[in-house]
Amino acid sequence: PLRPFRAQCAALGVEVLPVIARESLPHWDPGWGTEEYGAALLPYGKQVSGTERIEIGNEPDLEAPSSWTMTAAQLKALPAAAREVWPRGYLIGPGLASGDPSWVDRDWLYYIQALSVHPYGRRAPGFGLPVEYLPIPDLLAAYAAYGLPLWVSEFGAPARDFDLDIERAAYYAAMARYLDWRGDVAGACAFCLAGDGVEEFALQGTPALATFLEASGNIARNHAPETIG
């Protein structure tokens, strides 16, 4: 249940960012329209306050086991239905991860207040690790051109990409400081606290978690993305 989990997080001073992902809607069909999405989302409307931040969608532009892959046309009905369920909610979405800003469809931008992205494989400018990662500024600038605030609702790097724990910690600190410095990033979430199936990304008990929280400043430093369902 979502509410007990959120209460536990609140006791720790951690705010949860609810996420409507593929796992939230176990009977989802790619042919759903606004009516079907609305009916499926309605139970969550009772669990999530009508005025808080909610992320809608998860990596529709990427084909991966953990992604909710859709075409841009299929995605249109989801934020429209979410807006009906949460008419005053601060809707964020849809967690774009392909690195291709041209995938964005302006039709569904009408229903959200912020555009969320998952820039894996990117690093802060001026920070040289991991060497195979590309600098992030050009990518964020391309998404920002759509005129909405940005949320980096997932970013991270697996432990295998670093030789030392201190290097990984420095990576998270550099990313947090850069995202805080940008005026168009409203929130950022490091992935992930506990590695349920993705242990190499886990931050709990590592120096990287402390450096990320310390460096996050005003970019919603205590947000923890959590799938509803």
Side-chain angles (χ1 to χ4, degrees):
L2 183 62
R3 286 180 177 173
F5 172 77
R6 302 183 78 183
Q8 293 172 0
C9 290
L12 297 172
V14 175
E15 184 179 348
V16 173
L17 172 64
V19 179
I20 298 293
R22 173 68 183 87
E23 297 83 354
S24 309
L25 309 176
H27 304 297
W28 172 74
D29 184 275
W32 276 11
T34 305
E35 184 176 348
E36 290 84 1
Y37 277 119
L41 293 175
L42 198 56
Y44 297 124
K46 300 176 181 178
Q47 298 186 56
V48 180
S49 168
T51 58
E52 66 181 288
R53 291 173 287 248
I54 311 157
E55 184 169 36
I56 306 297
N58 182 50
E59 302 180 355
D61 57 336
L62 191 69
E63 292 189 16
S66 60
S67 302
W68 191 4
T69 308
M70 303 183 190
T71 66
Q74 289 171 336
L75 181 64
K76 288 181 183 179
L78 176 59
R83 177 55 63 201
E84 292 183 4
V85 174
W86 294 285
R88 295 191 299 143
Y90 188 90
L91 301 187
I92 301 163
L96 300 171
S98 68
D100 179 12
S102 67
W103 195 92
V104 175
D105 188 321
R106 291 185 180 274
D107 287 349
W108 46 259
L109 292 181
Y110 173 80
Y111 299 102
I112 61 177
Q113 277 82 23
L115 185 64
S116 62
V117 298
H118 297 174
Y120 289 105
R122 299 280 177 158
R123 55 180 164 80
F127 188 77
L129 295 173
V131 293
E132 66 270 25
Y133 285 21
L134 296 173
I136 197 173
D138 289 348
L139 179 67
L140 292 185
Y143 283 119
Y146 286 97
L148 291 178
L150 298 178
W151 270 69
V152 177
S153 55
E154 282 186 29
F155 83 91
R160 66 174 180 270
D161 287 352
F162 302 88
D163 293 328
L164 303 170
D165 285 347
I166 193 172
E167 293 176 345
R168 188 173 183 230
Y171 163 83
Y172 280 91
M175 283 286 284
R177 293 191 184 102
Y178 174 70
L179 297 175
D180 193 14
W181 172 81
R182 290 184 64 100
D184 53 4
V185 176
C189 306
F191 180 86
C192 61
L193 183 60
D196 184 10
V198 284
E199 284 74 15
E200 283 204 302
F201 280 91
L203 293 174
Q204 194 166 26
T206 72
L209 178 60
T211 56
F212 170 70
L213 294 178
E214 182 179 356
S216 296
N218 297 318
I219 53 167
R221 76 165 108 195
N222 289 329
H223 283 296
E226 179 69 17
T227 295
I228 298 179

